[in-house]
Amino acid sequence: MRSKPTGSPSNRNDPSSPGSTIGILGGGQLGRMIALAAAQLGYRCHIFCPETDGPASHVAARTINGDFDDEAALRAFAQGVDIVTYEFENVPAATARLLAEIVPVAPSARALEVAQDRIVEKSFVKDLGCGVPAFRAVSSLEDLEAAVAEIGTPAILKTRRFGYDGKGQARLMTPEDMVGAWDAIGGNPAILEAMVPFDGEVSVLVARGWDGRMVHYGPVHNIHKNGILDISRVPAPFSEQLAANAVATAEKIASALDYVGVLGVELFVVGEDVLFNEMAPRVHNSGHWTTEGAVTSQFENHVRAICGLPLGATDPLGHVEMRNLIGDDANQWQELLADPNLHVHLYGKREARPGRKMGHTTRVTRA
Ligand code: AMP
């Protein structure tokens, strides 16, 4: 179990006292929603990110702009905060390690490392005894041929690193698709996975404190469009047994990583079983419904967990549906706001590029 941050060295506050400062690596909408929840509990947030005018910076006390390998800027950022967390999973593990020499960091650099590489991630989860799709590491076209011979088709080829929202992926319906798929992912180090004929996709969000205590949300039923999350619904329309399996898998992963904070775990539903797809060492899009739809939001519980505060109850307040506003969807804000029962979130991004997450809506139907 990791020891709770104490606030040493001398000029640092104990992050469990309100008035402390949380440092967030990454400047996107997840940072924005963490900062809003933190403010409610009396915290200030400082953002570290390369971009100016990001969604998180609009609601934070301070932003330090720098690249994630800019040691001087990172040190300056660390001096001004009492605890560091991330809203972006591609923060280099070396950045987290450097900061951890100066200030407590949660989740740990190890959690980042495991989640950033699909082979490391799937091997880690498989070694815990959890179900994963059949997979092989692929570094060349010859490897791909051998992997297809073993796994068969249909299959899905994904880059090992830096993939998100279906990017860096190619489907192989037959072995003839091999060369095209390899080219489509730029010939980068990859993983070949068997295509899972799933009955649905769910996620579980676990919040785990420094003392190892856990609470969870979900399973959440997730529907994707073009590889991007479209709709999340709670309760998920699956059996209690399935729900128990999903939660057990997520909790096992969080415990094995000695994780502190909110961890998002995405799973495929196959009958009563779950197969692990991927994890995100941060708050997760499939947990946005919790802001209005649960007793305590995932963002507040992330703050509570990393700051060493007691975790809040996670019970849903009814049937809840979250829909992402992608690209031009956000232009309908006037019609959306005309529905008095819809909670509308806009992230303050100036340009609505296709595929860009611009906001979301949440509807809570009380039971
Ligand atoms: P990922 O970025 O790995 O979450 O993949 C994006 C989406 O592609 C997932 O949410 C699934 O809908 C689909 N997908 C990914 N991997 C597989 C797989 N092994 N079998 C079937 N569908 C998959």
Side-chain angles (χ1 to χ4, degrees):
M1 199 181 301
R2 300 178 69 190
S3 52
K4 192 169 151 181
T6 57
S8 62
S10 52
N11 63 343
R12 207 173 298 292
N13 296 313
D14 179 341
S16 62
S17 11
S20 304
T21 302
I22 299 172
I24 303 175
L25 298 170
Q29 65 269 16
L30 300 178
R32 179 185 181 97
M33 291 184 270
I34 294 171
L36 290 170
Q40 187 185 323
L41 287 170
Y43 289 94
R44 276 154 223 264
C45 288
H46 291 184
I47 308 298
F48 185 98
C49 62
E51 73 275 17
T52 53
D53 197 37
S57 298
H58 301 166
V59 302
R62 189 169 177 212
T63 296
I64 294 187
N65 287 124
D67 289 325
F68 290 116
D69 60 0
D70 181 342
E71 209 176 308
L74 287 167
R75 285 187 188 281
F77 166 71
Q79 290 309 330
V81 300
D82 302 306
I83 177 102
V84 167
T85 190
Y86 355 85
E87 65 104 46
F88 170 62
E89 74 268 36
N90 285 323
V91 169
T95 302
R97 287 196 208 288
L98 173 92
L99 292 169
E101 287 169 18
I102 309 170
V103 60
V105 175
S108 66
R110 168 92 181 118
L112 274 183
E113 252 164 16
V114 171
Q116 281 171 357
D117 182 319
R118 291 187 189 272
I119 293 285
V120 176
E121 179 185 47
K122 289 228 164 55
S123 306
F124 180 83
V125 173
K126 189 177 175 198
D127 289 348
L128 294 176
C130 302
V132 299
F135 68 93
R136 296 285 184 280
V138 170
S139 310
S140 63
L141 200 48
E142 294 73 55
D143 284 354
L144 182 56
E145 275 169 28
V148 169
E150 285 181 303
I151 287 180
T153 52
I156 181 158
L157 187 66
K158 305 178 182 178
T159 53
R160 280 177 74 149
R161 302 175 73 88
F162 304 123
Y164 69 100
D165 287 346
K167 293 193 174 63
Q169 300 192 2
R171 289 173 186 229
L172 289 82
M173 300 319 290
T174 70
E176 282 77 69
D177 294 339
M178 251 185 303
V179 175
W182 183 241
D183 287 346
I185 65 152
N188 287 305
I191 182 171
L192 185 76
E193 290 176 21
M195 188 84 81
V196 177
F198 55 72
D199 300 318
E201 293 185 79
V202 294
S203 56
V204 175
L205 311 157
V206 177
R208 186 172 183 276
W210 295 88
D211 58 4
R213 273 191 213 159
M214 288 187 270
V215 294
H216 71 267
Y217 303 91
V220 184
H221 184 211
N222 297 320
I223 298 157
H224 293 82
K225 200 160 80 184
N226 304 324
I228 306 178
L229 182 65
D230 183 26
I231 300 172
S232 291
R233 288 196 185 105
V234 161
F238 300 107
S239 69
E240 277 183 27
Q241 181 58 51
L242 185 282
N245 290 342
V247 171
T249 301
E251 290 189 342
K252 204 167 187 178
I253 295 169
S255 297
L257 287 169
D258 200 3
Y259 195 89
V260 175
V262 167
L263 171 73
V265 177
E266 295 183 47
L267 304 154
F268 298 125
V269 176
V270 184
E272 296 293 288
D273 293 323
V274 289
L275 289 182
F276 170 87
N277 176 27
E278 63 179 1
M279 68 175 104
R282 52 166 171 74
V283 291
H284 197 254
N285 193 172
S286 68
H288 289 4
W289 62 273
T290 61
T291 298
E292 293 91 5
V295 175
T296 313
S297 77
Q298 64 161 346
F299 305 103
E300 181 174 338
N301 261 337
H302 183 70
V303 170
R304 287 176 177 237
I306 63 169
C307 292
L309 301 174
L311 299 175
T314 55
D315 312 63
L317 299 175
H319 283 68
V320 192
E321 180 180 272
M322 187 286 311
R323 283 175 181 261
N324 270 335
L325 300 174
I326 309 283
D328 287 342
D329 294 350
N331 296 341
Q332 308 156 16
W333 57 272
Q334 276 173 316
E335 291 108 272
L336 296 169
L337 283 167
D339 179 340
N341 290 310
L342 200 63
H343 298 282
V344 179
H345 293 247
L346 298 169
Y347 305 148
K349 297 180 184 177
R350 293 197 196 282
E351 206 191 331
R353 290 194 291 269
R356 195 173 196 205
K357 290 177 178 168
M358 302 297 294
H360 69 269
T361 61
T362 303
R363 185 184 302 280
V364 183
T365 309
R366 287 172 200 270

